[in-house]
Amino acid sequence: EIVLTQSPATLSLSPGERATLSCRASQSISSYLAWYQQKPGQAPRLLIFDASNRATGIPARFSGSGSGTDFTLTISSLEPEDFAVYYCQQRSNWPGTFGQGTKVEIK
Amino acid sequence: EVQLVESGGGLIQPGGSLRLSCAASGFTVSSNYMSWVRQAPGKGLEWVSVIYSGGSTYYADSVKGRFTISRDNSKNTLSLQMNSLRAEDTAVYYCARGLNGYNGNFDYWGQGTLVTVSS
């Protein structure tokens, strides 16, 4: 099973700041990595698929990069609605696995 | 508009069975890659099971032999039959639709249904 390790566990930032979230895979997953946002009491929302493709309706301030084992989600300028938990997920091998999440909180 | 609505969750004793349903609208379940993903209270996400449009199914090791994923084409629903339930199966269960052409990524999710396994 491929293990995804996200860092940091918590990111404390202010609105308008840049957020950089990391996801590292235990083995190469090519570009088969997605990012999801989850707010309390809500289902996850797909942000980025295949490392760098924004899903429909996702604002341009969200961007993804990386390949192989190291991936990054960048939020260029945090809006109040962006404070949430972010999960990475790989679809390279079954079972697809999720990272443990990074919480982006208001500083 | 695409919608997924889960039902069937509740409190069940260890060893019991439960059947979850996911009613879909706005698209055809049988034409899509569909999955169940769960989230234990306060924890992260875990992929439970998947059914491909061609009918192939896969299960996480943690549920293999106990859970069965299926779909009812006439009702446009996805189901998860859960047997021999354990305390560690306690979670919110989401059904999710695969992103077209990108099996394994999920573009639509239901609101989730809570399953609590406890005596």
Side-chain angles (χ1 to χ4, degrees):
Chain A
E1 177 177 301
I2 295 174
V3 176
L4 298 179
T5 303
Q6 291 187 240
S7 62
T10 304
L11 200 52
S12 298
L13 295 168
S14 301
E17 289 193 292
R18 182 184 188 90
T20 303
L21 288 67
S22 175
C23 178
R24 176 164 289 179
S26 58
Q27 64 188 75
S28 178
I29 56 171
S30 185
S31 295
Y32 298 127
L33 188 97
W35 291 93
Y36 296 84
Q37 176 194 67
Q38 188 179 34
K39 297 179 181 179
Q42 295 185 17
R45 176 173 72 141
L46 179 65
L47 300 175
I48 302 287
F49 62 95
D50 281 5
S52 60
N53 299 284
R54 269 192 303 278
T56 302
I58 301 304
R61 65 180 180 273
F62 291 92
S63 63
S65 63
S67 66
T69 61
D70 291 303
F71 300 85
T72 300
L73 174 70
T74 302
I75 311 171
S76 59
S77 179
L78 282 164
E79 296 288 338
E81 62 267 27
D82 298 336
F83 292 92
V85 178
Y86 293 82
Y87 293 95
C88 58
Q89 178 231 344
Q90 64 85 15
R91 69 179 187 100
S92 175
N93 286 358
W94 176 262
T97 46
F98 292 86
Q100 81 280 13
T102 290
K103 181 179 182 180
V104 178
E105 66 176 22
I106 300 176
K107 186 174 182 180
Chain B
E1 180 191 5
V2 171
Q3 276 197 319
L4 295 166
V5 179
E6 301 96 336
S7 60
L11 175 62
I12 187 76
Q13 291 188 338
S17 297
L18 212 54
R19 187 176 183 87
L20 305 183
S21 292
C22 174
S25 57
F27 74 101
T28 302
V29 165
S30 62
S31 299
N32 285 266
Y33 173 105
M34 299 292 298
S35 268
W36 289 96
V37 177
R38 69 184 180 183
Q39 186 170 36
K43 302 297 184 182
L45 299 163
E46 180 187 16
W47 208 344
V48 173
S49 182
V50 60
I51 184 166
Y52 284 79
S53 57
S56 299
T57 59
Y58 294 89
Y59 301 90
D61 285 347
S62 56
V63 307
K64 199 174 297 181
R66 301 188 298 122
F67 289 12
T68 303
I69 190 171
S70 63
R71 62 192 182 204
D72 185 330
N73 296 345
S74 65
K75 296 180 179 178
N76 206 32
T77 58
L78 180 73
S79 294
L80 186 68
Q81 177 66 42
M82 305 186 295
N83 298 330
S84 303
L85 283 162
R86 306 167 180 167
E88 54 265 34
D89 296 319
T90 294
V92 173
Y93 286 73
Y94 296 101
C95 69
R97 186 185 83 164
L99 179 64
N100 191 25
Y102 297 87
N103 287 343
N105 293 152
F106 305 106
D107 59 351
Y108 284 93
W109 297 63
Q111 85 288 351
T113 188
L114 176 61
V115 173
T116 303
V117 184
S118 174
S119 54

